[in-house]
Amino acid sequence: MIDLINSVENKIKSILNELNIQEDNVKVVESNKAGLGQYQYNGVMAIAGKNGYKPQELAQKICDLLIKDDNILDANVAGVGFVNITFKTSALINQVNKYEVEKDKICVVKNHKIFIDYGGPNVAKALHVGHLRSADIGEGLKRLARKLGYEVISDVHFGDWGRQMGMVIAGIEERMPNLPFFDENFKGEYPTQSPVTYKDLEEIYPLANIKCKEDEAFLEKCRKYTYELQNGNAGFVALWKLFVAESMKPVLKTYDFLNVSFDLYEGESTCNDLIAPMVKDLLDRKVAYESQGAVVIDVANLDDKVEVPPFLVLKSDGAAMYSTTDLATIVNRQKRFSPQEYWYVADNRQSLHFTQLFRATKKANYVDENTTFTHFAFGTMNGKDGKPFKTRDGGVMSALTLIDNVKTEIRNKMADNNEVNDEICDIISSATLKFADLSNNRETDFIFDIDKFCALEGKTGPYILYTTVRANSVIKKAQMSDIENFELLDIDNKSYIDVLLNLIKAPVVLQRAFEQKALNVICDYLFVLSNSFNNFYSQTKILTESDESKKKSYLKLCSLVSKVNEEFLDILAIKVPERM
Ligand code: ARG
């Protein structure tokens, strides 16, 4: 979509051309100071001298010609040769209207498939805040890519297969040794109810973990159980299925709260049948080799700055591990989907693992040469002390604890607000948490300051929701039908024009967010647009405006802001409440 800004850039290019100045890199940018014009061209100083002009003189020539452009209200020279540009309001309106018509057509990419792996919860372990980040960021990236026309397939990649599984089985056996799952001679039907709840599992796993460190025999038993599960021990498989399903319950509830969902709810275990043939194939083709009983692939490059150790395909005890299942999962995904891109959203401490995995995959020729792999790493969510989030007693902060804290804070804030019931409180709490998570640069660690993120003012979820609900409520109160089809008029109202100036940026924001895979670009934009709308709202009589055509323009503006806010919040998987 050629937009207003591009058209001015092209115009300046052609003006320069007529003056015999060849300049391809013409950038028109937003003014950083109020009162100077809406946009600026700051390139004159760099090109004037070498083309025999004084900067101000060249800038003036550009302005004289720019001002003749149909879209431009004013162009003038500032300082040593800056070109200030102000658009006609009608040009802004045309641009906004064009976006409305064309927005579903921005960058429709054909035949480009992305496979995204995010979430990554683990059986028998509560979600921690890192899993929250993966879920929020992954869901946002998925929706953003879809918005721009990509086909995206998502998978939660449940952690349901590694050594922990043997530990859980052995842990359950310690508590309930008489269950039929552990009886080798059992011939009947296994129970269909899980003998443990997810709460039990969250105790059983850590206890087994401690015991493994202290008790060599128990560790050996866990290893054996893992191996047996992976190789089809009927009792273990039956028990495993039950506790996996049980573990999923709270996870799915949390995903529901976060408005996160997947196309595939598969796990590390899904690829199990592919592991043995994969290992054989890797050995046969000499991609992998045996080393001290383990099977490995060398993945170091000569120019590596940090050491990249060999990729472990199988451990010496023959059990499949995290790396094994990740590689076999690619074999599986490749067979079924053959995407052009693989995306993984996991915290930055896993960077080395993904480097090894991606190199091993390429070395094994499991994907086409052009297939790309990206690990979208993210930083840690820290507490106010700047250290990784801990509960009050020093334990790892579970996602549910954090969610509860936010819910309590929001409920307190909304206590006097009769509009807000429990359901709305949940929507606001979810928005608060997600917006806080996504408004920070993905890669850097950030401090989760609950007071700041729950505030109704500032760059927060509640503020953006509040603005959207406010726009919606003006529309409702107007009690007029067909507001969406009202016309925007050229009105001399600065706060109205400021909103238009922000609305024209919407498509560019989407593109930039996608290019940088940065959802904070969307959050920043929502904040700026909301600020300008609130400013307009407080300075303008909308419902009491006596000039009917003005009133209609203002209402149309409200509906546009509401639409863009809702559309962009939806990319972040944030819902907007009816009232607030
Ligand atoms: N379950 C892993 C964890 O909790 C995250 C999984 C990431 N995805 C993957 N394909 N390795 O750390």
Side-chain angles (χ1 to χ4, degrees):
M1 179 158 82
I2 265 273
D3 69 5
L4 192 56
I5 312 302
N6 292 141
S7 83
V8 186
E9 289 171 346
N10 289 339
K11 181 84 193 178
I12 294 176
K13 253 183 240 173
S14 71
I15 292 173
L16 291 171
N17 242 323
E18 274 167 39
L19 298 169
N20 279 326
I21 300 173
Q22 184 60 36
E23 171 71 349
D24 295 326
N25 187 28
V26 172
K27 280 267 162 286
V28 167
V29 295
E30 248 183 288
S31 289
N32 46 17
K33 265 198 209 134
L36 280 185
Q38 298 160 341
Y39 278 75
Q40 293 179 318
Y41 169 54
N42 300 334
V44 171
M45 280 70 79
I47 52 171
K50 52 185 174 193
N51 288 288
Y53 286 99
K54 289 200 183 93
Q56 282 175 328
E57 184 194 351
L58 178 59
Q60 191 56 53
K61 271 189 187 300
I62 296 174
C63 289
D64 292 345
L65 292 167
L66 269 184
I67 214 150
K68 296 188 182 146
D69 189 286
D70 277 352
N71 290 326
I72 290 173
L73 180 70
D74 188 25
N76 57 53
V77 183
V80 288
F82 298 99
V83 173
N84 290 326
I85 300 160
T86 300
F87 292 107
K88 285 185 186 158
T89 303
S90 58
L92 301 177
I93 292 171
N94 283 341
Q95 179 68 24
V96 169
N97 290 339
K98 201 165 148 194
Y99 172 60
E100 266 219 290
V101 177
E102 291 184 9
K103 74 176 172 203
D104 293 329
K105 290 190 222 134
I106 3 175
C107 173
V108 182
V109 206
K110 291 249 157 62
N111 302 324
H112 192 105
K113 216 187 279 177
I114 298 167
F115 196 104
I116 181 168
D117 173 316
Y118 64 100
N122 298 314
V123 164
K125 288 194 212 165
L127 288 182
H128 59 66
V129 288
H131 291 120
L132 273 191
R133 296 212 73 194
S134 176
D136 288 339
I137 296 168
E139 183 72 23
L141 291 178
K142 174 183 80 179
R143 289 173 181 232
L144 177 60
R146 283 189 178 154
K147 183 106 203 150
L148 294 182
Y150 293 89
E151 180 184 351
V152 191
I153 303 153
S154 57
D155 179 23
V156 67
H157 202 65
F158 214 35
D160 63 357
W161 210 230
R163 162 106 61 81
Q164 307 94 293
M165 299 309 108
M167 287 158 73
V168 174
I169 295 171
I172 296 176
E173 189 186 28
E174 297 258 292
R175 288 193 176 193
M176 291 170 269
N178 295 326
L179 289 174
F181 307 104
F182 306 111
D183 177 358
E184 280 170 32
N185 301 316
F186 184 74
K187 290 279 177 294
E189 295 270 316
Y190 289 112
T192 51
Q193 287 283 326
S194 174
V196 284
T197 64
Y198 65 83
K199 283 249 175 281
D200 299 332
L201 286 165
E202 284 168 21
E203 280 171 24
I204 290 171
Y205 173 70
L207 285 177
N209 204 5
I210 294 170
K211 194 158 180 191
C212 276
K213 295 199 175 100
E214 294 162 349
D215 179 344
E216 186 65 34
F218 185 74
L219 174 67
E220 202 36 58
K221 186 197 241 176
C222 294
R223 283 209 182 108
K224 184 167 157 261
Y225 282 12
T226 304
Y227 183 85
E228 286 183 13
L229 168 72
Q230 293 179 354
N231 288 280
N233 174 318
F236 290 179
V237 171
L239 175 60
W240 168 83
K241 278 192 182 147
L242 295 175
F243 70 72
V244 167
E246 179 63 24
S247 268
M248 278 279 226
K249 283 185 194 162
V251 173
L252 294 181
K253 242 174 134 175
T254 306
Y255 284 160
D256 210 35
F257 173 78
L258 297 173
N259 202 14
V260 165
S261 63
F262 301 84
D263 301 308
L264 306 171
Y265 288 84
E266 299 187 354
E268 297 170 355
S269 64
T270 308
C271 65
N272 193 47
D273 292 346
L274 299 174
I275 291 176
M278 176 183 83
V279 175
K280 181 172 181 309
D281 165 63
L282 290 170
L283 287 169
D284 285 352
R285 288 193 292 131
K286 302 210 168 16
V287 178
Y289 61 93
E290 274 174 58
S291 161
Q292 296 166 343
V295 178
V296 302
I297 303 177
D298 283 333
V299 288
N301 285 342
L302 279 176
D303 53 358
D304 283 338
K305 302 233 160 33
V306 285
E307 195 200 328
V308 182
F311 180 79
L312 262 171
V313 180
L314 275 187
K315 265 191 318 195
S316 49
D317 62 9
M321 3 187 274
Y322 190 53
S323 47
T324 321
T325 49
D326 254 338
L327 189 60
T329 299
I330 293 175
V331 174
N332 185 7
R333 289 173 180 170
Q334 189 63 19
K335 259 197 203 151
R336 292 154 67 198
F337 307 106
S338 312
Q340 277 77 19
E341 293 183 48
Y342 281 94
W343 291 1
Y344 293 80
V345 187
D347 79 62
N348 52 19
R349 283 168 297 190
Q350 298 201 31
S351 292
L352 181 62
H353 164 72
F354 285 111
T355 302
Q356 293 173 296
L357 172 68
F358 300 163
R359 287 187 187 177
T361 309
K362 290 269 172 175
K363 197 163 175 189
N365 270 323
Y366 280 153
V367 294
D368 303 336
E369 212 186 318
N370 299 328
T371 310
T372 60
F373 286 86
T374 316
H375 169 209
F376 292 105
F378 53 82
T380 320
M381 200 191 270
N382 289 331
K384 266 190 180 169
D385 56 0
K387 302 210 180 89
F389 239 140
K390 294 267 192 277
T391 55
R392 221 169 274 160
D393 53 14
V396 180
M397 175 75 92
S398 83
L400 284 181
T401 313
L402 181 63
I403 290 174
D404 278 345
N405 290 351
V406 172
K407 277 188 183 172
T408 309
E409 186 71 23
I410 291 294
R411 201 166 295 135
N412 288 342
K413 279 218 149 69
M414 298 289 155
D416 304 331
N417 185 333
N418 296 332
E419 303 280 356
V420 174
N421 57 23
D422 278 356
E423 193 193 334
I424 294 180
C425 246
D426 274 7
I427 296 178
I428 302 172
S429 305
S430 171
T432 302
L433 192 62
K434 292 179 70 99
F435 199 86
D437 191 347
L438 298 172
S439 57
N440 290 283
N441 180 319
R442 167 168 49 81
E443 278 157 274
T444 44
D445 298 348
F446 76 97
I447 289 176
F448 192 91
D449 179 339
I450 196 160
D451 298 328
K452 187 171 127 196
F453 292 136
C454 291
L456 283 169
E457 293 291 335
K459 202 194 288 179
T460 67
Y463 176 69
I464 310 293
L465 290 190
Y466 197 67
T467 309
T468 315
V469 169
R470 170 179 271 174
N472 287 340
S473 112
V474 179
I475 295 168
K476 230 181 272 164
K477 280 198 195 127
Q479 293 189 320
M480 289 166 99
S481 56
D482 215 24
I483 290 178
E484 289 196 9
N485 293 322
F486 288 175
E487 223 178 303
L488 291 169
L489 296 179
D490 183 345
I491 303 172
D492 186 19
N493 170 344
K494 185 170 177 313
S495 66
Y496 168 82
I497 296 171
D498 282 345
V499 178
L500 292 174
L501 276 166
N502 281 322
L503 284 171
I504 66 167
K505 289 190 244 163
V508 183
V509 167
L510 285 184
Q511 298 285 3
R512 196 181 328 134
F514 186 73
E515 269 158 35
Q516 303 172 3
K517 306 294 183 292
L519 297 162
N520 57 320
V521 167
I522 292 179
C523 296
D524 289 346
Y525 174 69
L526 280 167
F527 181 55
V528 171
L529 178 63
S530 294
N531 273 341
S532 69
F533 176 77
N534 284 321
N535 199 28
F536 160 77
Y537 177 87
S538 68
Q539 296 185 11
T540 312
K541 290 185 291 177
I542 304 174
L543 294 172
T544 54
E545 172 60 58
S546 52
D547 178 334
E548 193 68 3
S549 59
K550 262 193 187 178
K551 178 174 171 181
K552 285 181 156 181
S553 288
Y554 291 157
L555 286 168
K556 168 76 180 180
L557 192 77
C558 293
S559 104
L560 284 168
V561 169
S562 148
K563 253 201 259 172
V564 174
N565 267 16
E566 290 196 359
E567 191 183 322
F568 280 43
L569 284 168
D570 188 57
I571 294 175
L572 307 178
I574 293 175
K575 290 186 194 160
V576 178
E578 289 276 308
R579 319 177 293 277
M580 188 170 160

